[in-house]
Amino acid sequence: MSEQSYDYDVLVIGAGPGGYVAAIRAAQLGLKTACADGRETLGGTCLNVGCIPSKAMLHASEYFDAAANGAMAKMGIDVTPKLNLPAMHAQRVDAVKGLTAGIEFLFKKNKVDWLKGYAAFTGKDSVEVAGKTYRAKNIIIATGSSVTPLPGVEVDNDKQVIVDSTGALELAKVPGHMVVIGGGVIGLELGSVWRRLGAKVTCVEFLDQILPGMDADVRKDANRIFKKQGIEFKLKTKVTGAVVKGKKAVLTLEPAAGGEAETLEADVVLVSIGRRPNTDGLALDKAGLAVNARGQIETDHDFSTQVPGIWAIGDVIPGPMLAHKAEDEGIACAENIAGQTGIVNHDVIPSVVYTWPEIAGVGLTEEQAKEKSEVKVGKFPMAGNSRAKTNHEPDGFVKIIADAKTDRVLGVWCIASVAGTMIAQAAQAMEFGATSEDIAYTCHAHPTHSEAIKEAAMAVTGKPIHV
Ligand code: FAD
Ligand code: NAD
């Protein structure tokens, strides 16, 4: 087939942070590019129903909580907040509108064609979108992920009784009792939103601790902090069924290891037990592709699949389901298609839970690091940090895990009001192969929360100043 018969050099399937970024980068590199997505607006899960709207609700509810729980009074501001939930939702919708329109603008600016519709493969180098077939020299699958369903607990976002994350962002009133199934990132972020606005929140988690995958100290302290805020946890517990009766749901719970069942009534149930890759409807078989046991598309380090010319990035491939991971893969993949060397260092992907305080980490947990080598650990409490103390934010700590022999930093974990911002420094240091000594002897501005990172690094060799 001749080069001329291709409609595009690159056709991206999916316009989430992986796909839209890949499309823009490919166009910037001079490749004729299209991006297919059937949503009404660009930006995928992240901009439409994920990162952005959840942060809009977290930010607004944080102010409400500060006014309601006495945090403002501590600083001499006496206020009695009154919730205007429609206005809070309106600013969320506005944020989404502005940012998704921004991607449409960037597509136009970079001459990326938006093919409005869902794509299905018709061959190794062709897809059909909205009844039209397109041939492309390279096809990038960036179809993202959707909510993992829980058998017996059927989500119906319209009824607003059993909802998923999309439904939980849009509740028309504050639930009396919200039960969150799954003590992961979504459960804790959206559970926090409604707890702050007045709901009683119970979190049912299958495992013996919340936030699997994070450092054990972080998981334990996060549990303590959320409990103090009023979230009730039922750990080592599974939900086996739900019955909706009018405006309420009755859940059946059992110990994870099996045992006597109990029931729990809720006004709203949030199902947040994970997400699974989107590959249904892609007709992967027509392209000669298959998924692995977890439903993901496997790729090589350069994001190529086993079929030449077909690439995959983001939530649909293995690795953490995070927007910044998808974006970095999008850039690297487009660069590889253009003949450059696009690389993503999957060992240094920060992750952040945007609760109060924030929880962040990058690299290995202490448990993972100990399996690989002997380690030295430095820990510094936020209560010893002058800025956090002045701001009435005593909770949390920074923990740095370094190789005992080389002192190279293997992982950094923190709980702090601005942990999500602080972790960028740790990621950059690790990307540069820093030792804990490098961080300890880097001058940090005073008074900042980031000084706690310096002190934790000093604590690796047992020499912090402020504890
Ligand atoms: P997606 O963003 O899922 O985009 C995929 C797109 O592909 C979708 O628009 C879909 O319509 C489209 N599509 C699917 N099939 C087809 C098809 N056949 N043809 C055409 N188009 C198709 N991550 C963070 O890093 N930080 C956060 O704060 C954060 N908060 C989150 C909060 C919530 C409530 C949720 C649900 C997720 C959150 N995430 C967060 C995760 C983040 O949204 C995802 O990791 C990220 O969106 C993945 O990007 P992606 O491009 O791979 O896929
Ligand atoms: P998750 O994997 O973070 O947490 C799911 C939790 O549910 C786990 O703790 C798991 O043990 C538990 N669980 C699983 N089955 C269960 C059951 N039957 N009963 C009780 N508990 C059960 O998943 P999530 O919170 O749904 O989030 C999905 C993805 O979205 C995550 O991978 C996350 O990376 C991404 N996300 C990221 C952010 C962020 O970066 N701030 C925010 C939201 C979502």
Side-chain angles (χ1 to χ4, degrees):
M1 197 73 67
S2 74
E3 290 274 318
Q4 284 78 4
S5 63
Y6 287 120
D7 297 295
Y8 292 102
D9 296 317
V10 179
L11 192 154
V12 186
I13 307 178
Y20 85 71
V21 166
I24 291 173
R25 190 79 185 113
Q28 285 173 343
L29 293 168
L31 301 167
K32 191 178 178 211
T33 306
C35 182
D37 202 312
R39 273 183 201 273
E40 276 176 34
T41 46
L42 298 169
T45 304
C46 173
L47 270 67
N48 288 285
V49 292
C51 324
I52 296 304
S54 61
K55 267 78 252 177
M57 293 304 281
L58 278 157
H59 186 63
S61 62
E62 205 169 284
Y63 276 91
F64 184 87
D65 196 33
N69 73 12
M72 281 191 163
K74 264 191 203 153
M75 295 180 285
I77 308 164
D78 287 329
V79 280
T80 308
K82 185 164 166 268
L83 179 64
N84 181 345
L85 190 55
M88 198 178 275
H89 280 313
Q91 60 91 38
R92 164 181 59 79
V93 172
D94 251 17
V96 170
K97 251 192 208 155
L99 290 172
T100 54
I103 308 301
E104 204 172 334
F105 164 79
L106 290 175
F107 268 18
K108 283 191 186 127
K109 185 178 159 200
N110 288 284
K111 302 196 172 44
V112 174
D113 290 344
W114 175 11
L115 310 177
K116 291 184 190 171
Y118 291 97
F121 281 95
T122 51
K124 286 185 196 306
D125 62 1
S126 60
V127 296
E128 191 183 300
V129 184
K132 220 177 145 202
T133 302
Y134 300 88
R135 286 193 66 234
K137 206 167 165 189
N138 295 279
I139 297 175
I140 304 177
I141 304 171
T143 47
S145 63
S146 319
V147 177
T148 304
L150 178 59
V153 187
E154 204 178 313
V155 167
D156 183 345
N157 284 334
D158 291 338
K159 285 204 181 108
Q160 301 209 335
V161 180
I162 301 181
V163 297
D164 59 20
S165 54
T166 302
L169 286 167
E170 297 173 357
L171 297 179
K173 67 175 199 183
V174 180
H177 183 204
M178 179 180 214
V179 175
V180 172
I181 310 179
V185 194
I186 292 182
L188 293 169
E189 286 189 353
L190 295 181
S192 289
V193 165
W194 295 105
R195 199 269 312 147
R196 292 167 186 172
L197 299 181
K200 169 181 157 53
V201 174
T202 306
C203 175
V204 183
E205 166 59 50
F206 187 81
L207 300 174
D208 61 357
Q209 190 51 281
I210 57 171
L211 293 173
M214 295 211 149
D215 185 89
D217 277 348
V218 165
R219 297 174 71 188
K220 194 169 151 214
D221 203 38
N223 183 306
R224 181 191 64 80
I225 292 169
F226 292 132
K227 252 193 211 159
K228 201 170 71 177
Q229 292 175 355
I231 297 184
E232 192 182 315
F233 290 99
K234 283 184 177 290
L235 303 177
K236 291 195 261 181
T237 305
K238 61 183 174 192
V239 175
T240 53
V243 181
V244 177
K245 288 182 187 155
K247 294 252 165 246
K248 286 192 188 288
V250 179
L251 298 174
T252 315
L253 274 47
E254 275 177 33
E260 212 169 300
E262 57 170 318
T263 57
L264 188 62
E265 201 178 75
D267 300 291
V268 171
V269 176
L270 165 59
V271 179
S272 47
I273 60 162
R275 294 178 62 81
R276 59 180 188 185
N278 288 332
T279 53
D280 286 356
L282 272 177
L284 288 177
D285 52 323
K286 299 230 169 93
L289 273 173
V291 295
N292 68 14
R294 303 190 63 198
Q296 301 155 325
I297 298 173
E298 298 271 358
T299 68
D300 218 326
H301 290 302
D302 62 355
F303 308 104
S304 60
T305 67
Q306 76 230 30
V307 178
I310 303 184
W311 313 71
I313 56 170
D315 281 9
V316 81
I317 72 169
M321 290 181 164
L322 295 170
H324 41 283
K325 177 234 180 214
E327 287 189 46
D328 285 7
E329 290 178 348
I331 291 172
C333 182
E335 290 177 350
N336 289 329
I337 289 172
Q340 300 182 356
T341 309
I343 295 170
V344 176
N345 179 3
H346 286 100
D347 291 336
V348 183
I349 307 268
S351 67
V352 181
V353 190
Y354 296 88
T355 47
W356 180 268
E358 292 179 346
I359 302 165
V362 60
L364 301 179
T365 63
E366 186 176 342
E367 302 73 49
Q368 290 166 337
K370 277 181 173 160
E371 275 173 23
K372 297 199 171 186
S373 61
E374 221 179 291
V375 300
K376 294 181 295 183
V377 175
K379 221 172 148 184
F380 186 81
M382 291 314 292
N385 173 270
S386 60
R387 186 64 181 277
K389 219 169 149 57
T390 307
N391 288 3
H392 313 278
E393 300 160 348
D395 281 327
F397 61 87
V398 176
K399 174 174 177 177
I400 295 187
I401 302 141
D403 184 282
K405 285 202 188 79
T406 64
D407 191 34
R408 195 171 168 152
V409 177
L410 303 173
V412 178
W413 294 88
C414 46
I415 300 184
S417 58
V418 289
T421 305
M422 290 161 70
I423 205 69
Q425 160 191 358
Q428 193 158 43
M430 287 174 67
E431 198 61 62
F432 288 179
T435 59
S436 79
E437 190 183 48
D438 290 330
I439 298 177
Y441 286 101
T442 298
C443 189
H444 286 62
H446 175 77
T448 58
H449 295 81
S450 295
E451 286 173 288
I453 293 194
K454 178 189 172 88
E455 294 255 26
M458 291 169 87
V460 172
T461 43
K463 294 183 298 184
I465 300 289
H466 293 98
V467 275

